[in-house]
Amino acid sequence: MIRPRWQGLRPQQNAVAWRRWDRMVAIIATLNLAWVLVDLSYIPLRNFWLQRNLYPVPSLPLVVPLPWLPDITPVLDPLKGIRPHRETQAYLDGFKRLDQALQTDSSLESTITLLKQQQQLTENLISSQRLLSSSNASALDQLKNRLRARTGLNSAQQSADLLLSEGHINQSGWTRERQFWNQQILPLVEINYWRSIDENGRPTDLSWRVDAPFQLLFLLDIVLRCLRLKSRYPAIRWRDAVLRRWIDLPLLLPFARWMRLVPVTERLSRTGLIQLEPLRAVISRGVVALLAVELFEVITIRVVDTFQQLIRSPQLPERVRSLCSHQTSNANEDRELLELLRLWLPLLLTKVGPALRPQLVALIGHLLQQSLSRSVMPEPLRRVAALQSAEAEFSRQLATGVVDSVLDVSRGAGNRIGQRDQVLETLGTDALDRLWEELAVILEQGPVLERSQDLLTSFLEELKRSGFRQFSDQDDVDALISELDGLNFSPADRTPKPPA
């Protein structure tokens, strides 16, 4: 590519320090992108982050626990305005007290009181539809189904009363029942939450507090990049320097933050932290090859259609007549054509022609010998060696004389053409004008014009159809990509090596 015409190009200084800065900013931008992805997906995936259980097949009761993942809900819940639901928290606190009492002594009167309180809390939880948020509306139905499946009863409330009764716990054992409640019921209760609303009537979202320091750093980096560009190219305007960093715009936008993937990828690739050149090369080759075929087809159609329109035009004789010197409005074109002829005709007649003298003598001599042997020499005399030698020598001398005469004439004509001769220019211009005028007259008279137009347009139409038929029959894109791949290797790389 041609370097822009910006003067005062200075060598880049402190390249190592700037490279370290760029790498640090690229790593920070990657962390920010990770934070953005977690933030955008937190509300839909809050149940996963809360329980850290993976369900590979939702239709099967297969659970993969991931205890090594950190519990980020205490940190992100306040940023999203999420608070524990009062009724839900009261239910969880009551079950915790009941669990501690049953593990200590299940015969105390306080434990029976706690069982009754938990039965009441369960009844309130089942009967009150508003306890579960709209995003977890199916959790209440799932909770009821699990209680019914545990006891085999048709009523979820009766199932909860039975499971929390003193007799059932003494019969089944609290350890087994505790496992059921902790694994099947309490996770469905924990996912219920309450989210506050801001002044605009939208759910609270304070994640901008975390994103603001990153954006300030990105703004500082963009300013520094513009300053570096201005120092290297002093003639560039500030507006152009800022526009050169248009790809960094998503880093500063508070919306559509997923678009930060583009500038982050560009920074990581430019600093060498990741290698995307092979992928970019493959994509660019495919796109360029496809566009090349499409553009060639479009350009070919336009060129052929233009020629067809020109040929079909009834003003074709007038266009031919306009080639005359007295018809054209641009006198420079005539002068340029005459100068071109004056430059090349002397070279062809005085340099190129004499250089071909040996070849011309041999060619014309051979033709003359064949003509003499066939037309002049009788058949019995053709086998005499002396006559054949004399014939060859005569043909050579005759050809030499003819070629020398023609070359002398061409040298003289070339020297005269190379000189400024106003009469010669006038005569040449008149000859060309007469040629165009006669062609225009012939086209205007008789059916020559119409027949010529039909033949030429049919020829161009067939040429267009056959060309595109060939395009459709061949795998042009694959062929171009294969050819581009072959150009990436040197001949030494393509040469097979001999076996060891």
Side-chain angles (χ1 to χ4, degrees), residues 49-265:
W49 290 111
L50 180 65
Q51 302 173 3
R52 286 162 292 174
N53 291 330
L54 184 63
Y55 299 89
V57 183
S59 59
L60 297 178
L62 179 61
V63 182
V64 179
L66 303 174
W68 49 271
L69 287 178
D71 185 10
I72 62 176
T73 54
V75 178
L76 296 185
D77 279 354
L79 295 177
K80 295 296 183 179
I82 295 177
R83 301 176 185 177
H85 203 282
R86 289 182 297 176
E87 287 79 359
T88 301
Q89 192 63 36
Y91 185 88
L92 296 175
D93 293 341
F95 185 86
K96 184 177 181 180
R97 292 192 299 267
L98 176 62
D99 182 32
Q100 294 177 353
L102 290 174
Q103 288 182 357
T104 302
D105 189 358
S106 59
S107 62
L108 295 177
E109 184 178 354
S110 59
T111 304
I112 299 175
T113 303
L114 291 174
L115 284 172
K116 293 181 179 181
Q117 291 179 357
Q118 197 67 22
Q119 290 176 356
Q120 185 63 37
L121 291 174
T122 306
E123 181 181 358
N124 295 336
L125 181 67
I126 294 175
S127 60
S128 181
Q129 297 285 347
R130 62 183 178 84
L131 292 180
L132 295 178
S133 61
S134 58
S135 60
N136 301 314
S138 62
L140 180 59
D141 295 333
Q142 192 173 2
L143 185 145
K144 294 179 180 180
N145 293 332
R146 291 180 179 180
L147 291 175
R148 298 189 189 101
R150 182 68 174 177
T151 60
L153 301 177
N154 295 328
S155 174
Q157 182 58 49
Q158 294 178 2
S159 300
D161 294 340
L162 176 60
L163 294 175
L164 294 175
S165 62
E166 184 180 4
H168 179 78
I169 292 176
N170 292 332
Q171 181 180 358
S172 300
W174 176 242
T175 302
R176 182 180 177 184
E177 294 300 319
R178 180 175 179 269
Q179 184 179 5
F180 165 75
W181 286 94
N182 286 329
Q183 295 181 359
Q184 301 292 329
I185 303 302
L186 294 185
L188 295 176
V189 180
E190 290 176 350
I191 62 178
N192 188 35
Y193 61 85
W194 177 83
R195 190 174 183 184
S196 60
I197 304 298
D198 59 11
E199 293 80 2
N200 297 323
R202 295 177 298 181
T204 303
D205 192 352
L206 303 178
S207 58
W208 61 269
R209 296 181 180 178
V210 180
D211 210 28
F214 289 100
Q215 291 181 316
L216 292 177
L217 177 63
F218 298 149
L219 179 60
L220 175 62
D221 179 67
I222 293 174
V223 173
L224 291 178
R225 285 175 178 265
C226 294
L227 289 175
R228 289 159 58 184
L229 188 63
K230 184 69 175 177
S231 64
R232 293 183 62 188
Y233 310 107
I236 190 175
R237 294 180 295 180
W238 283 106
R239 183 189 65 181
D240 297 332
V242 174
L243 291 177
R244 287 285 296 272
R245 298 308 308 171
W246 63 269
I247 197 172
D248 293 330
L249 180 62
L251 295 174
L252 305 178
L253 296 178
F255 53 88
R257 293 182 294 168
W258 56 269
M259 294 178 59
R260 297 183 187 182
L261 177 64
V262 176
V264 171
T265 304

Side-chain angles (χ1 to χ4, degrees), residues 165-462:
S165 62
E166 184 180 4
H168 179 78
I169 292 176
N170 292 332
Q171 181 180 358
S172 300
W174 176 242
T175 302
R176 182 180 177 184
E177 294 300 319
R178 180 175 179 269
Q179 184 179 5
F180 165 75
W181 286 94
N182 286 329
Q183 295 181 359
Q184 301 292 329
I185 303 302
L186 294 185
L188 295 176
V189 180
E190 290 176 350
I191 62 178
N192 188 35
Y193 61 85
W194 177 83
R195 190 174 183 184
S196 60
I197 304 298
D198 59 11
E199 293 80 2
N200 297 323
R202 295 177 298 181
T204 303
D205 192 352
L206 303 178
S207 58
W208 61 269
R209 296 181 180 178
V210 180
D211 210 28
F214 289 100
Q215 291 181 316
L216 292 177
L217 177 63
F218 298 149
L219 179 60
L220 175 62
D221 179 67
I222 293 174
V223 173
L224 291 178
R225 285 175 178 265
C226 294
L227 289 175
R228 289 159 58 184
L229 188 63
K230 184 69 175 177
S231 64
R232 293 183 62 188
Y233 310 107
I236 190 175
R237 294 180 295 180
W238 283 106
R239 183 189 65 181
D240 297 332
V242 174
L243 291 177
R244 287 285 296 272
R245 298 308 308 171
W246 63 269
I247 197 172
D248 293 330
L249 180 62
L251 295 174
L252 305 178
L253 296 178
F255 53 88
R257 293 182 294 168
W258 56 269
M259 294 178 59
R260 297 183 187 182
L261 177 64
V262 176
V264 171
T265 304
E266 186 268 341
R267 288 172 177 266
L268 291 175
S269 177
R270 186 176 294 273
T271 55
L273 296 176
I274 60 176
Q275 183 58 261
L276 295 179
E277 185 60 25
L279 179 61
R280 185 206 63 79
V282 171
I283 296 176
S284 63
R285 282 200 297 268
V287 173
V288 169
L290 182 61
L291 290 179
V293 174
E294 297 293 336
L295 288 176
F296 184 77
E297 292 179 355
V298 173
I299 293 174
T300 304
I301 288 179
R302 296 298 300 168
V303 171
V304 175
D305 289 344
T306 301
F307 275 110
Q308 288 179 335
Q309 292 176 2
L310 178 62
I311 293 172
R312 292 194 187 99
S313 175
Q315 286 81 24
L316 182 60
E318 295 298 329
R319 292 180 180 271
V320 174
R321 186 176 285 109
S322 66
L323 297 175
C324 298
S325 59
H326 60 275
Q327 295 287 342
T328 181
S329 60
N330 191 358
N332 292 328
E333 295 181 358
D334 296 336
R335 288 196 297 268
E336 291 172 357
L337 179 60
L338 292 176
E339 290 296 331
L340 185 64
L341 294 176
R342 184 181 292 112
L343 175 64
W344 278 99
L345 284 179
L347 292 177
L348 294 175
L349 297 177
T350 60
K351 302 294 183 181
V352 178
L356 297 177
R357 180 181 179 277
Q359 290 76 16
L360 293 176
V361 170
L363 176 63
I364 296 177
H366 178 70
L367 295 176
L368 289 174
Q369 182 181 358
Q370 287 185 341
S371 178
L372 290 174
S373 62
R374 292 177 182 176
S375 60
V376 178
M377 190 72 63
E379 182 66 26
L381 298 179
R382 293 178 186 176
R383 300 170 184 172
V384 180
L387 293 178
Q388 291 181 356
S389 300
E391 181 182 310
E393 182 64 23
F394 175 74
S395 301
R396 187 185 64 80
Q397 293 180 0
L398 182 60
T400 301
V402 172
V403 170
D404 290 339
S405 301
V406 173
L407 290 179
D408 291 339
V409 174
S410 67
R411 288 194 189 95
N415 293 329
R416 288 191 296 271
I417 292 175
Q419 298 174 358
R420 294 284 181 177
D421 191 348
Q422 186 64 34
V423 177
L424 181 61
E425 293 182 4
T426 303
L427 293 176
T429 303
D430 293 341
L432 289 176
D433 292 345
R434 186 61 181 178
L435 174 63
W436 303 129
E437 185 68 28
E438 290 298 327
L439 287 177
V441 171
I442 292 174
L443 290 176
E444 290 176 343
Q445 297 177 355
V448 178
L449 176 61
E450 183 177 355
R451 182 58 178 168
S452 300
Q453 288 176 336
D454 294 338
L455 292 176
L456 289 176
T457 53
S458 299
F459 172 75
L460 292 176
E461 187 68 23
E462 182 62 26

Side-chain angles (χ1 to χ4, degrees), residues 16-29:
V16 177
W18 284 119
R19 185 173 181 83
R20 291 177 179 175
W21 167 263
D22 292 339
R23 287 193 172 186
M24 183 188 69
V25 175
I27 295 174
I28 295 176

